């Protein structure tokens, strides 16, 4: 199996990645939303915005 970030051979400790650096790059991409599937239905976008508003604590 090759690392999905750099295509080097995967290492068991970091599988499916080859090293911590590649695992961290992948995590960063997830956190930034790079792997998100875009919604094309306006209702989906509206529902997602409402759910985020409910989940986000308000600051006073």
């Amino acid at each position: 199996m090759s690392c999905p970030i750099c295509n080097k051979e995967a290492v068991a400790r970091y599988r499916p990645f080859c090293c911590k650096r590649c695992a961290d790059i992948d995590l960063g991409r997830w956190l930034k939303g790079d792997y998100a599937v875009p919604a094309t239905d306006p209702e989906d976008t509206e529902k997602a915005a409402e759910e985020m508003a409910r989940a986000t604590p308000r600051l006073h």
Side-chain angles (χ1 to χ4, degrees):
M1 171 184 259
S2 62
C3 176
I5 303 298
C6 70
N7 293 319
K8 291 181 183 176
E9 189 64 28
V11 174
R13 180 175 180 182
Y14 300 107
R15 193 169 222 157
F17 307 102
C18 66
C19 64
K20 183 168 176 17
R21 179 182 175 274
C22 285
D24 287 345
I25 288 170
D26 186 71
L27 177 61
R29 289 177 181 173
W30 275 105
L31 294 174
K32 288 189 313 184
D34 290 349
Y35 295 139
V37 177
T40 56
D41 184 0
E43 289 183 18
D44 289 341
T45 305
E46 189 174 312
K47 285 179 188 176
E50 289 172 1
E51 288 177 18
M52 283 186 62
R54 276 184 266 149
T56 306
R58 292 185 178 174
L59 300 176
H60 296 242

